[in-house]
């Protein structure tokens, strides 16, 4: 008997239903497995194309397409690889949140290297506390701007699960912040922070468009507003530190 990866069941949440990466329509299954290593990719009933060709792709190909901001790669990542109710999803999300906060804290410390005082244990603890608090406040307000913008545009009626989907998509699509770790090895000018921020902004726009299926103009406006608020908060935190 062939087996399928993810059958669609009436009682399953819509977020756990796989999608066609081409048109975004829900599909019953992504592939049928006849034996280990022997699978047949299923086609989308709507667009008649293979629902998810990324299943047979290497990770590096998927990563390159994500960096190129291909909508199909984002649908594969957000809908077909990760699920709100799966253990794998929860593990990835927890790791992503921790990395997200850590990288923002590192960004703040990178911008404030000249003013931070780590000469004593107490001063180092105080500086780390301020940096971590600043990163938490910055991200809280950033997400608040995203959710308020979505509520205004999409009228989600305070749907907690939809908010969670959006927040997860924003956090996971901010993977480009990992490039900040290269500043630990090589010396870069401060402008590299702004370059990374631009790439993160564009990635967030694509992820928001995919997960909400709304107009690109609305996604651009919401993300630009939230990132603009983040920049203002960054300047405010720089003065405090």
């Amino acid at each position: 008997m062939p087996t399928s990866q993810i059958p669609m069941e009436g009682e399953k949440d819509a977020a756990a239903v796989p999608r066609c990466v081409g048109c975004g329509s829900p599909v019953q299954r992504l592939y049928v497995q006849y034996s280990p290593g022997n699978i047949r990719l299923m086609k989308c009933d709507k667009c008649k194309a293979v629902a998810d060709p990324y299943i047979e792709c290497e990770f590096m190909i998927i990563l390159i397409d994500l960096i190129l901001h291909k909508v199909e790669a984002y649908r594969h990542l957000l809908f077909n690889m990760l699920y709100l109710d799966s253990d794998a999803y929860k593990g990835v999300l927890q790791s992503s949140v921790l990395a997200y906060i850590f990288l923002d804290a590192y960004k703040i410390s990178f911008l404030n290297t000249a003013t931070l005082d780590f000469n004593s244990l107490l001063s180092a603890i105080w500086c780390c506390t301020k940096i971590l608090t600043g990163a938490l406040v910055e991200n809280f307000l950033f997400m608040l701007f995203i959710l308020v913008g979505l509520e205004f545009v999409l009228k989600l009626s305070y749907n907690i699960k939809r908010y969670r989907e959006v927040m997860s998509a924003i956090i996971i699509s901010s993977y480009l912040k990992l490039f900040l770790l290269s500043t630990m090895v090589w010396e870069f000018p401060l402008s590299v922070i702004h370059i990374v921020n631009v790439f993160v902004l564009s990635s967030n726009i694509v992820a928001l468009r995919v997960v909400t299926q709304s107009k690109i103009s609305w996604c651009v406006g919401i993300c630009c507003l939230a990132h603009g608020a983040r920049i203002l908060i960054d300047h405010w935190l720089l003065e405090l530190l």
Side-chain angles (χ1 to χ4, degrees):
M1 280 291 289
T3 59
S4 60
Q5 182 197 25
I6 309 170
M8 182 187 297
E9 300 175 3
E11 65 272 14
K12 278 193 174 184
D13 187 87
V17 175
R19 303 288 185 93
C20 170
V21 300
C23 64
S25 301
V27 294
Q28 187 173 2
R29 55 182 63 87
L30 298 175
Y31 64 81
V32 174
Q33 181 175 349
Y34 295 97
S35 61
N38 182 18
I39 66 173
R40 179 168 66 90
L41 300 182
M42 305 302 293
K43 291 187 177 181
C44 172
D45 293 334
K46 184 176 180 180
C47 66
K48 308 303 179 182
V50 173
D52 192 350
Y54 284 106
I55 291 174
E56 294 184 326
C57 293
E58 297 290 336
F59 172 75
M60 285 305 299
I61 296 177
I62 299 173
L63 180 60
I64 291 172
D65 281 356
L66 287 172
I67 294 174
L68 293 175
H69 292 359
K70 290 190 176 181
V71 173
E72 295 83 1
Y74 277 82
R75 287 194 180 116
H76 171 75
L77 174 66
L78 298 175
F79 291 130
N80 299 341
M81 286 184 63
L82 304 173
Y83 306 96
L84 287 177
D85 298 322
S86 69
D87 293 334
Y89 170 85
K90 294 175 182 177
V92 169
L93 182 59
Q94 291 171 359
S95 301
S96 299
V97 170
L98 292 176
Y100 192 82
I101 299 298
F102 167 78
L103 290 171
D104 278 333
Y106 174 71
K107 178 192 67 176
I108 294 173
S109 64
F110 181 77
L111 294 172
N112 291 272
T113 303
T115 59
L116 294 176
D117 180 16
F118 293 102
N119 294 326
S120 65
L121 179 60
L122 289 177
S123 62
I125 293 175
W126 175 239
C127 287
C128 290
T129 301
K130 289 194 297 182
I131 291 171
L132 183 58
T133 302
L136 291 172
V137 170
E138 172 184 317
N139 283 290
F140 173 78
L141 294 177
F142 171 72
M143 286 297 179
L144 183 62
F145 271 92
I146 291 284
L147 296 180
V148 169
L150 285 176
E151 184 61 38
F152 176 75
V153 174
L154 301 181
K155 308 297 183 183
L156 297 180
S157 300
Y158 304 101
N159 188 324
I160 301 300
K161 179 152 289 190
R162 291 288 287 147
Y163 286 160
R164 189 163 58 132
E165 291 176 26
V166 171
M167 292 173 65
S168 301
I170 293 296
I171 292 172
I172 293 172
S173 65
S174 299
Y175 61 89
L176 289 164
K177 288 185 179 183
L178 290 171
F179 285 107
L180 292 175
L181 296 178
S182 61
T183 60
M184 295 181 176
V185 182
W186 299 286
E187 291 187 5
F188 289 97
L190 293 179
S191 59
V192 72
I193 298 291
H194 305 299
I195 295 174
V196 171
N197 285 339
V198 170
F199 277 106
V200 171
L201 168 61
S202 59
S203 180
N204 289 164
I205 291 172
V206 178
L208 189 63
R209 179 190 177 191
V210 166
V211 78
T212 62
Q213 299 181 12
S214 57
K215 294 181 179 179
I216 184 65
S217 57
W218 287 114
C219 296
V220 170
I222 292 172
C223 287
C224 287
L225 176 64
H227 278 269
R230 179 194 285 273
I231 292 174
L232 294 178
I233 295 168
D234 277 341
H235 285 295
W236 175 66
L237 290 174
L238 290 177
E239 293 179 359
L240 289 180
L241 295 174

